[in-house]
Amino acid sequence: MSIEPEFISKLSCELGVDFIDVRVQKRYYELIVFDNGVIRDLIMTTSFGAGVRVVVDGSTGYSSTNTVTRESIREAVIRAYKVAKASKSLSLRTELYKRPTIKAKISSQYSVEPENIDYAEKIQLLRDMYSVARSTQGISSVILRFGYEHDYRVYITSIGDYVEVGSRMIGVSSTLTAHVEGVYETFYDQESAVAGWEFIKSINWDEWVFERSKLVVETAKSHHVKPGKYDIILDNDMVGLLLHEAFGHATEGDLVMSGGSVLYGRIGERVASELVTVVDNGVIEGGAFVPYDDEGTPKRKVYTVRNGVLTGYLHSLSTAVALSSEPTGNARVMSFEYPLLVRQTNTYMEPRDWSVEELIRDTKRGLYVKGRGARGGEVNTLTGAFTFTSGPSYIIENGELVKLVKSVMLSGLILETLKNVDAVAKDLVVKTSVFGGCGKSGQIVRVGDGGPHVRVRGFIIGGG
């Protein structure tokens, strides 16, 4: 690739613009869908191109190209320049934070290249899992997926930045349906990692799918929990879902700027229990791999909440200036065709000192709410109101798990919920997924979320 900072800098001088950046991306993705004994999809896709942003007189224009040559980049820059000039009177003024020039090259770690593994071996993995799941009494449908992504990005600017980031992610998912005594129950789960084929070899997938098959059958036989007020223990997955969706989005600088966040203007205020510390971190075990954002800014570990106090938001170069802060490495795009948005990376709560067993023993009456198999929900970032449906969960009586129940519905206000946290465990777990991610304004990016087990007192729940 013959696109260097010097070439982009020369274009900037020729056009008399404030700033130009170029995002080159090459992405390869594999997806195999094994649907009830039949290969429904075997997809291999490759995309390659570059996205360009031009800032002139405080106005921004975007363009993209599927051909990465000097000539095509020049043409894309001119298109973006024309867009910026034409939209100046209708757009908000853009001012970018002036940080030091960055030159870096980094890739996620892996041992065995998944692209070198024969498709027959990948299909056989799913075939074996299908046989195990289908042999479980009560299972009526089994859909399995294998996914792999290799994402390579280069960021180049007119001020000399040149940042290369490569990432590999791989995983397996299952959607299992049980039919027991006229009742249907469906359960989805997945396991992914930033790794190579060695991750697939490190897990006993037959046991993995068997455990989930048994769980969905037992869930079909179970009942809904009685609605009411409970002390609830949220597991790692449920904590991650709650924090990412109901709290994390409200910390994104562009949403804060628009006035659509419950956290607007609340820096320095107590927004949670003093036991709660919330982090956005680009590189952590189990999570997505985002060492640099799509503006080439190093992704630092950002504390949005420390000991219950709101300490900051997530920023791009432009929102950092607009909100009198510093960039945090959270400017991201789904692919080179899209404009930048402020996005989370890996959102989680920091651990404390309880063991999970102590939490359960110390809870006389309550619910152990599991995120595995959760069905998502809805969030209003302006008010902090949320509704989520968990996965199969358990009733707690006298400090013991006594009965499996169907998924429960959690509805509340995120700040009130975080203020009612009275115990945080020490078992931090963060997870990511190669099968999806976080959606915002039509863009999906890979993220991770998680935390330790957490207890919330006096939570009102429905039946799910």
Side-chain angles (χ1 to χ4, degrees), residues 24-28 46-49 150-154 336:
V24 178
Q25 180 191 26
K26 183 176 182 180
R27 178 180 180 266
Y28 173 75
T46 300
S47 60
F48 181 51
H150 181 192
D151 193 340
Y152 170 74
R153 303 185 183 207
V154 183
F336 64 88

Side-chain angles (χ1 to χ4, degrees), residues 11-22:
L11 284 177
S12 177
C13 291
E14 289 178 6
L15 295 171
V17 303
D18 304 331
F19 179 76
I20 301 173
D21 60 5
V22 179

Side-chain angles (χ1 to χ4, degrees), residues 51-328:
V52 169
R53 174 176 60 168
V54 173
V55 181
V56 52
D57 296 329
S59 181
T60 302
Y62 284 93
S63 183
S64 66
T65 174
N66 292 105
T67 307
V68 184
T69 64
R70 288 193 171 203
E71 186 56 36
S72 64
I73 295 297
R74 176 187 292 274
E75 291 173 356
V77 166
I78 292 172
R79 287 195 301 270
Y81 170 78
K82 291 179 178 179
V83 170
K85 295 288 284 186
S87 61
K88 182 178 179 180
S89 62
L90 302 173
S91 59
L92 294 175
R93 181 174 178 81
T94 299
E95 185 177 351
L96 302 181
Y97 187 95
K98 294 178 174 59
R99 58 157 174 75
T101 299
I102 304 292
K103 293 184 183 293
K105 181 177 181 179
I106 188 170
S107 293
S108 62
Q109 295 184 348
Y110 69 100
S111 299
V112 182
E113 174 60 80
E115 293 167 50
N116 294 336
I117 304 300
D118 194 274
Y119 292 111
E121 186 171 348
K122 297 167 184 174
I123 292 169
Q124 190 60 48
L125 165 71
L126 301 183
R127 192 188 305 275
D128 292 343
M129 292 175 64
Y130 173 75
S131 297
V132 171
R134 208 64 177 87
S135 65
T136 305
Q137 186 175 359
I139 293 294
S140 62
S141 175
V142 179
I143 302 174
L144 303 166
R145 293 175 176 84
F146 167 83
Y148 166 69
E149 178 182 68
H150 181 192
D151 193 340
Y152 170 74
R153 303 185 183 207
V154 183
Y155 179 72
I156 313 152
T157 73
S158 56
I159 61 171
D161 294 309
Y162 194 91
V163 179
E164 294 183 55
V165 178
S167 176
R168 287 168 170 80
M169 187 181 291
I170 193 168
V172 171
S173 77
S174 66
T175 303
L176 307 172
T177 300
H179 184 202
V180 180
E181 298 176 357
V183 176
Y184 285 94
E185 187 77 31
T186 298
F187 179 86
Y188 171 83
D189 199 10
Q190 67 87 35
E191 211 75 47
S192 300
V194 175
W197 184 253
E198 69 279 0
F199 170 72
I200 299 298
K201 302 299 287 185
S202 71
I203 292 177
N204 186 324
W205 293 102
D206 290 352
E207 288 186 4
W208 186 92
V209 76
F210 179 61
E211 290 174 359
R212 284 148 184 80
S213 299
K214 289 194 301 180
L215 177 59
V216 69
V217 170
E218 290 303 310
T219 304
K221 300 175 184 177
S222 69
H223 300 284
H224 288 292
V225 69
K226 183 180 179 181
K229 180 181 285 190
Y230 293 85
D231 294 336
I232 60 173
I233 297 174
L234 305 173
D235 77 348
N236 316 89
D237 295 334
M238 204 68 215
V239 169
L241 175 64
L242 188 71
L243 284 180
H244 175 92
E245 297 291 353
F247 186 83
H249 281 296
T251 67
E252 293 166 350
D254 49 2
L255 190 65
V256 174
M257 280 179 58
S258 72
S261 169
V262 68
L263 300 175
Y264 176 79
R266 304 183 74 163
I267 297 291
E269 287 188 25
R270 180 167 297 282
V271 295
S273 158
E274 64 181 10
L275 299 174
V276 173
T277 294
V278 181
V279 172
D280 185 271
N281 195 356
V283 181
I284 184 172
E285 183 178 356
F289 184 72
V290 192
Y292 294 85
D293 72 0
D294 289 310
E295 288 184 316
T297 303
K299 176 61 194 124
R300 58 187 177 87
K301 185 177 182 180
V302 178
Y303 287 87
T304 53
V305 176
R306 278 186 186 268
N307 303 323
V309 176
L310 184 68
T311 54
Y313 306 123
L314 307 179
H315 288 297
S316 63
L317 295 178
S318 61
T319 66
V321 173
L323 294 173
S324 302
S325 186
E326 296 181 352
T328 59

